[in-house]
């Protein structure tokens, strides 16, 4: 069916509600990259195999709900009952769940949470899913991982069937586009987005409304909107999850932005390493075109807009706006000088607005619920929510969306469940490779653009890596500097040569050859790289070194002056030793030691031959008696 007028959306909505809350059972399998990596395809196969011809049940392929840690996930909906979610599933357990549903028996134990209410966000109301069943299963709103979260950009991820655009519409999708096309002038849209305080989620935190206004002000027959889906930060997967789980929210945001600035074509620049996101995006574009929500005369309004996909090849620097544009144009992905404003001369020298995936996904919610609603969330200068990929030494890793201004410790300890194995939290790295490391004593820091910058880090696009006390901060700085050195495009000397020099100094410090004066040398290099580089890669590249020098200077000094690595990470600076008074001679270390450097009789203390030892740390990992020390 083609949506020929905004009223037709209601027909899609009815069909979508029928699928989302059917009169029958609905089983949703999480098929995001995280789900598939954990075997979601075998769960889907088990669901299909367990289906009987006369069941008439509905099966949905949904994206990631954020609890990547618990994949593969199965969402079970039965009319009149709460929605219930199972995690870490196996095909055998799926059969048991389906049998229980069919027989109307109590559901098997082990459910992660239940949902009695579901927010239809853009309509600003809740749908009651049924209460009173599944006693003992924690409510979604009280589940530690979700209780502090607030989902705007991720509002549909994990809920809607990716194969049915109607389900996106049923949760309010494309109503914001209908609203702007029928009832809002471009000026009013831009005003609303400006008043919402929405700042770009791709790293820079530039005010979105102001960016749109600059482009609107330029009179030109051809303009473009671009979605930056390059997402090159190690450990970050926020944008991938949005595109895999709710691609229409991005397309709708882009259509609204295009209407506001006067563009009729858009590009999503996405890395080839995101094959599933590309497939979902291609399908969403095809569905939107077929439904009359992209293409000519959208919803009968006379507005034309279409979206193309441009694939990147995984160069980190191609996430930088001007390098990205060069890459779409078929040129080498190198940045250009900032004095040429994209709002005047962007893609193919036409006025262009470029925003990040999450930024675009926020736009329909702002249009529907209003600037005031959005501006009231978060802090005055960092409004709304932010999505983070919470990874590293944390009990529950996954995708979290929190109101800006939440304390860092609340994300790590409450949502993430703290550091595993009784270890001590040491630092949290935010902002991707060019972000900074925030130490334990600053865990009360509010997570917003300004506070993170004051603490020497950045919001970046939302990577958040938790580190326990086994992390060496010099080694962390070395790792990120080497990443940036490899990813530097080499166009400007300060970045190309400066990062190489800085990597060299960090490597020699970690190798035990640090010299007095190396810290001052690092500081000098940071100064030059930050101030003389052409693009944000270089100007922010010193952050890992500067922040670790600021908070963990003693670790640098221990490496350089005492030739010691306090965390026991830098191999050249450590010796592994078995503590005779703790070793019970179980042989666990002996069995895993790759170069057979450990010897000892059963039930007698073992010893390590320092000449043979390659300092891999396997012995320490397996020892249950804390008998391996690193000195
Ligand atoms: C080296 C480098 C890499 C970047 N990578 C990304 C990226 O992967 N995704 C992104 O949205 N922005 C990235 N940015 C920021 C973009 O240049 C740009 O500011 C952003 O996409 C604008 O969108 P926003 O205003 O919605 O944040 C990167 C910047 C630099 C300097």
């Amino acid at each position: 069916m083609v949506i020929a007028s905004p009223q037709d959306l209601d027909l899609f909505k009815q069909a979508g509600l029928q699928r989302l809350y059917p009169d029958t059972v609905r089983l949703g399998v999480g098929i995001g990259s995280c789900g598939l990596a954990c075997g979601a395809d075998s769960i889907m196969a088990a669901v299909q195999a367990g289906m009987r011809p006369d069941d008439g049940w509905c099966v949905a392929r949904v994206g990631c709900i954020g609890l990547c840690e618990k994949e593969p996930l199965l969402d079970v909906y039965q009319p009149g009952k709460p929605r219930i979610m199972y995690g870490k599933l196996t095909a055998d357990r799926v059969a048991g769940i389906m049998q229980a549903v069919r027989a109307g028996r109590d559901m098997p134990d082990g459910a992660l949470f239940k949902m009695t209410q579901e927010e239809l966000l853009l309509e600003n109301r809740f749908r009651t899913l049924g209460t009173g069943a599944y006693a003992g299963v924690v409510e979604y709103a009280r589940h530690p991982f979700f209780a502090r979260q607030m989902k705007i950009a991720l509002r549909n991820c994990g809920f809607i069937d990716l194969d049915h655009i109607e389900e996106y519409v049923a949760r309010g999708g494309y109503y914001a586009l209908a609203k702007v096309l029928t009832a809002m002038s471009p000026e009013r849209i831009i005003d609303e987005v400006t008043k919402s305080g929405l700042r770009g989620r791709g790293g820079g935190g530039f005010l979105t409304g102001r960016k749109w206004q600059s482009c609107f002000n330029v009179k030109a027959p051809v303009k473009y909107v671009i979605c930056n889906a390059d997402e090159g930060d190690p450990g970050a997967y926020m944008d991938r999850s949005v595109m895999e789980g709710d691609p229409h929210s991005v397309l709708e945001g882009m259509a609204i932005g295009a209407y506001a600035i006067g563009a009729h074509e858009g590009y999503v620049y996405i890395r080839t390493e995101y094959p599933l996101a590309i497939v979902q995006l291609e399908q969403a574009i095809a569905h939107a075109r077929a439904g009359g929500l992209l293409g000519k005369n959208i919803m009968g309004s006379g507005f034309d807009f279409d979206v193309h996909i441009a694939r990147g090849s995984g160069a980190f620097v191609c996430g930088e706006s001007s390098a990205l544009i060069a890459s779409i144009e078929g040129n080498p992905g190198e940045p250009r000088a900032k004095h040429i404003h994209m709002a005047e001369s962007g893609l193919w020298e036409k006025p262009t607005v470029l925003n990040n995936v999450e930024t675009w996904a926020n736009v329909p919610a702002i249009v529907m619920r209003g600037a005031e609603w959005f501006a009231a969330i978060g802090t005055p200068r960092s409004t709304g929510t932010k999505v983070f990929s919470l990874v590293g030494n944390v009990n529950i890793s996954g995708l979290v969306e929190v109101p800006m201004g939440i304390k860092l410790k609340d994300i790590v300890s409450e949502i993430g469940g703290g550091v595993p194995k009784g270890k001590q939290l040491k630092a949290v790295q935010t902002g991707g490779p060019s972000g900074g490391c925030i130490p334990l004593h600053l865990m009360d820091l509010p997570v917003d653009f300004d506070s993170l910058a004051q603490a020497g880090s950045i919001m970046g696009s939302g990577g958040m890596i938790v580190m326990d006390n086994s992390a060496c901060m010099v080694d962390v700085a070395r790792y990120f500097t080497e990443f940036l050195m490899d990813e530097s495009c080499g166009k400007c000397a300060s970045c190309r040569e400066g990062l190489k020099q800085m990597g060299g100094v960090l490597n020699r410090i970690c190798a035990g050859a640090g010299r007095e004066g190396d810290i001052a040398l690092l500081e000098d290099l940071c100064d030059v790289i930050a101030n003389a580089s052409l693009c944000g890669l270089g100007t922010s590249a010193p952050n890992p070194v500067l922040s670790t020098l600021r908070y963990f200077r003693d670790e640098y000094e221990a490496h350089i002056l005492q030739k010691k690595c306090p965390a026991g990470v830098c191999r050249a600076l450590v010796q592994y030793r078995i503590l005779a008074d703790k070793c019970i001679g179980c042989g666990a270390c002996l069995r895993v030691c790759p170069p057979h450097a450990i010897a000892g009789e059963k039930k007698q203390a073992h010893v390590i031959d320092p000449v043979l030892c390659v300092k891999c740390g396997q012995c320490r990992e397996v020892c249950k008696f804390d008998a391996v020390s690193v000195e």
Side-chain angles (χ1 to χ4, degrees):
M1 178 193 161
V2 177
I3 311 264
S5 74
Q7 291 74 30
D8 287 352
L9 268 183
D10 290 343
L11 298 173
F12 258 44
K13 179 179 164 182
Q14 284 316 320
L17 285 171
Q18 218 26 71
R19 283 194 52 87
L20 275 174
Y21 311 105
D23 302 330
T24 177
V25 173
R26 172 185 159 110
L27 301 174
V29 182
I31 53 82
S33 290
C34 48
L36 289 174
C38 297
D41 42 6
S42 68
I43 302 302
M44 182 56 97
V47 167
Q48 305 284 10
M51 207 74 86
R52 291 189 191 152
D54 55 345
D55 275 338
W57 294 358
C58 176
V59 180
R61 293 188 327 121
V62 300
C64 166
I65 199 175
L67 253 181
C68 314
E69 177 80 25
K70 304 288 183 203
E71 295 281 2
L73 293 166
L74 179 72
D75 168 14
V76 182
Y77 168 85
Q78 301 179 71
K81 289 189 178 173
R83 184 186 285 272
I84 186 168
M85 187 77 77
Y86 285 91
K88 288 214 183 264
L89 268 187
T90 55
D92 301 353
R93 284 181 67 209
V94 171
I97 290 168
M98 291 176 78
Q99 277 160 18
V101 171
R102 192 170 287 116
R105 286 201 309 266
D106 286 348
M107 294 296 286
D109 291 341
L112 293 173
F113 60 83
K114 63 181 174 186
M115 280 183 112
T116 54
Q117 282 198 319
E118 200 171 305
E119 191 179 13
L120 298 180
L121 187 116
L122 297 184
E123 296 193 333
N124 195 10
R125 67 186 175 84
F126 286 91
R127 186 171 184 100
T128 303
L129 294 180
T131 50
Y134 315 131
V137 178
V138 66
E139 265 284 343
Y140 172 81
R142 294 202 172 84
H143 188 285
F145 186 73
F146 295 106
R148 299 290 303 271
Q149 293 198 47
M150 178 175 191
K151 298 201 175 189
I152 300 176
L154 300 180
R155 58 192 176 272
N156 294 317
C157 291
F159 295 112
I160 55 173
D161 188 336
L162 292 156
D163 299 329
H164 293 271
I165 186 174
E166 306 92 293
E167 296 198 9
Y168 176 70
V169 177
R171 287 175 67 93
Y174 286 111
Y175 277 85
L177 181 59
K179 181 175 172 182
V180 301
L181 294 180
T182 52
M184 288 174 85
S185 65
E187 290 89 340
R188 236 194 89 201
I189 302 167
I190 295 172
D191 191 43
E192 200 69 11
V193 174
T194 307
K195 281 189 184 141
S196 76
L198 176 67
R199 293 171 68 171
R201 302 315 199 219
F206 198 77
L207 269 174
T208 305
R210 195 179 292 165
K211 192 187 273 189
W212 292 16
Q213 183 71 56
S214 309
C215 198
F216 172 82
N217 291 345
V218 180
K219 300 294 165 227
V222 178
K223 297 182 184 180
Y224 294 105
V225 289
I226 300 178
C227 171
N228 188 343
D230 194 51
E231 195 166 55
D233 296 5
Y237 51 93
M238 304 77 52
D239 297 345
R240 188 194 72 203
S241 294
V242 172
M243 288 180 297
E244 286 179 359
D246 190 18
H248 287 290
S249 65
V250 179
L251 298 178
E252 187 181 5
M254 290 175 76
I256 293 168
Y259 177 72
I261 64 154
H264 298 287
E265 251 181 295
Y267 283 82
V268 179
Y269 184 83
I270 181 166
R271 53 179 48 231
T272 303
E273 292 100 318
Y274 280 0
L276 182 61
I278 294 174
V279 167
Q280 295 308 159
L281 204 56
E282 280 171 345
Q283 174 171 295
I285 292 172
H287 285 178
R289 278 183 192 148
L293 297 162
L294 280 181
K296 297 267 177 227
N297 192 21
I298 293 174
M299 290 190 244
S301 65
F303 172 60
D304 305 336
F305 177 65
D306 211 343
V307 174
H308 315 282
I309 293 177
R311 294 178 185 214
S313 297
F316 175 69
V317 73
C318 284
E320 194 277 339
S321 48
S322 59
L324 183 153
I325 283 180
S327 174
I328 297 182
E329 290 171 346
N331 297 315
E334 290 177 355
R336 68 180 188 192
K338 278 281 174 284
H339 64 266
I340 311 164
H341 294 295
M342 201 169 288
E344 288 151 22
S345 179
L347 185 60
W348 290 302
E349 295 174 9
K350 307 291 182 224
T352 300
V353 157
L354 178 138
N355 278 121
N356 162 262
V357 169
E358 191 185 331
T359 316
W360 287 122
N362 270 295
V363 168
I366 292 170
V367 168
M368 278 318 276
R369 280 194 162 188
E372 272 181 33
W373 161 76
F374 192 82
I377 302 163
T379 69
R381 284 179 42 82
S382 299
T383 57
T385 55
K386 178 76 194 87
V387 183
F388 291 99
S389 48
L390 184 63
V391 297
N393 304 128
V394 64
N395 275 310
I396 312 179
S397 56
L399 208 61
V400 304
E401 182 170 2
V402 285
M404 297 262 202
I406 188 173
K407 287 181 181 168
L408 199 47
K409 72 170 180 214
D410 293 343
I411 300 181
V412 176
S413 306
E414 287 191 29
I415 298 175
V419 171
K421 295 187 200 153
K423 287 194 173 161
Q424 172 79 39
L425 175 66
K426 183 167 186 178
V428 177
Q429 205 273 354
T430 70
S434 41
C437 295
I438 299 170
L440 177 64
H441 74 270
L442 288 184
M443 285 300 124
D444 274 328
L445 192 80
V447 178
D448 59 59
F449 286 104
D450 302 329
S451 306
L452 286 170
Q454 274 161 22
S457 188
I458 50 172
M459 178 80 77
S461 58
M464 190 173 274
I465 304 171
V466 181
M467 288 177 267
D468 67 22
N469 51 0
S470 63
C472 165
M473 303 316 283
V474 186
D475 185 58
V476 167
R478 184 196 58 77
Y479 169 80
F480 285 119
T481 304
E482 284 207 329
F483 174 87
L484 293 166
M485 182 184 84
D486 287 345
E487 294 294 334
S488 169
C489 73
K491 186 170 179 179
C492 64
S494 54
C495 178
R496 183 184 66 235
E497 300 302 326
L499 285 172
K500 208 166 160 187
Q501 292 302 318
M502 200 147 81
V505 175
L506 289 164
N507 265 314
R508 80 165 170 248
I509 295 176
C510 290
R515 304 172 195 153
E516 256 183 81
D518 271 353
I519 292 183
L521 180 55
L522 283 174
E523 285 168 336
D524 275 355
L525 284 165
C526 287
D527 193 33
V528 174
I529 297 168
N531 289 305
S533 296
L534 183 61
C535 85
L537 193 153
T539 56
S540 60
N543 282 340
V545 173
L546 288 175
S547 67
T548 47
L549 274 174
R550 179 167 163 187
Y551 299 117
F552 302 96
R553 202 179 186 90
D554 52 337
E555 285 194 33
Y556 281 86
E557 287 167 352
H559 281 70
I560 297 167
L561 304 175
Q562 293 140 36
K563 306 291 176 216
K564 280 201 176 323
C565 173
V569 171
C570 299
R571 289 188 188 183
L573 297 176
V574 297
Q575 287 291 343
Y576 280 77
R577 199 164 68 83
I578 294 180
L579 304 172
D581 54 334
K582 288 192 172 173
C583 177
I584 63 150
C586 69
C589 57
L590 186 145
R591 285 191 288 276
V592 297
C593 178
H596 306 294
I598 300 177
E601 294 297 318
K602 240 183 169 179
K603 297 191 180 165
Q604 293 195 5
H606 290 13
V607 282
I608 300 177
D609 180 342
V611 179
L612 291 178
C613 175
V614 292
K615 300 166 186 176
C616 64
Q618 297 260 27
C619 49
R620 203 177 185 207
E621 280 284 310
V622 296
C623 181
K624 292 192 181 127
F625 307 96
D626 222 6
V628 182
S629 80
V630 188
E631 293 155 12

